[in-house]
Amino acid sequence: MEHAERLLTAAGELFYRRGVRAVGMDEVRAASGVSLKRLYQCFPSKEALVVAYLERRDERWMASLTAYATDVAGVFEWLERWFGEDDFRGCGFVNAYGELGATSEAVRDVVRRHKRRLREFLGGLVDDEVLADQLLVLVDGATVTAMVDPERGAAAARAAGRAARVLTAACRA
């Protein structure tokens, strides 16, 4: 595995599990087995590493969702599965935005791009801009609910899925 890949893998696990601010560059270095000099050659700043982590997370997260969900119901089924994963810690993008969004334009930009991609995907499923906005709110609301109260994760995904069916039916009536 190349150095950048090892660094992104280590950073992704650490940042998602513990938070961006709680994890130092030396900890990423140690977890990756890459020298500190090489780390800074690959990523000249922690912000650059965070942005790369989020871009990688976006690609993987969206690829998983789009491969699974071919309709609105599938989106919420996928969420329920994701919420049940042992390492689920909520939305990595919202988490990073909460930590760094006020101080890092680069982090804000990558988080916003991810949310736009998700909204575009939802819009493609329903071919309705207003409904896509509503579905995005349901996805984000269910995700936050599952993060705050993991025991309610499956129930949150199912409740959001039911609300999505009602909204979709109302928009198509």
Side-chain angles (χ1 to χ4, degrees), residues 4 7-8 11 15 25 28 39 43-54:
L7 289 162
L8 285 172
F15 290 161
M25 294 295 269
V28 172
L39 185 159
F43 303 101
S45 67
K46 186 173 182 182
E47 181 181 58
L49 179 59
V50 172
V51 167
Y53 146 70
L54 290 170

Side-chain angles (χ1 to χ4, degrees), residues 57-172:
R57 186 170 185 84
D58 173 61
E59 289 303 317
R60 291 178 171 192
W61 195 91
M62 289 298 300
S64 178
L65 174 63
T66 59
Y68 184 92
T70 57
D71 59 14
V72 173
V75 170
F76 294 93
E77 291 168 8
W78 184 87
L79 287 175
E80 185 174 350
R81 289 181 47 194
W82 178 43
F83 298 166
E85 292 177 3
D86 289 338
D87 67 344
F88 176 75
R89 300 289 183 272
C91 177
F93 302 94
V94 171
N95 295 345
Y97 187 88
E99 287 190 77
L100 301 172
T103 59
S104 172
E105 186 175 333
V107 169
R108 273 194 314 272
D109 288 347
V110 73
V111 169
R112 288 174 179 163
R113 279 194 309 272
H114 168 74
K115 292 299 179 181
R116 278 193 300 272
R117 277 188 77 196
L118 177 53
R119 187 195 169 281
E120 288 168 8
F121 172 69
L122 296 168
L125 293 177
V126 296
D127 196 30
D128 182 310
E129 296 299 311
V130 172
L131 181 56
D133 287 336
Q134 294 166 336
L135 293 174
L136 181 59
V137 169
L138 289 172
V139 167
D140 284 341
T143 303
V144 169
T145 300
M147 178 184 73
V148 170
D149 188 358
E151 292 179 11
R152 302 273 313 135
R158 288 192 298 270
R162 285 189 299 276
R165 284 192 298 281
V166 170
L167 285 169
T168 303
C171 286
R172 297 205 170 134

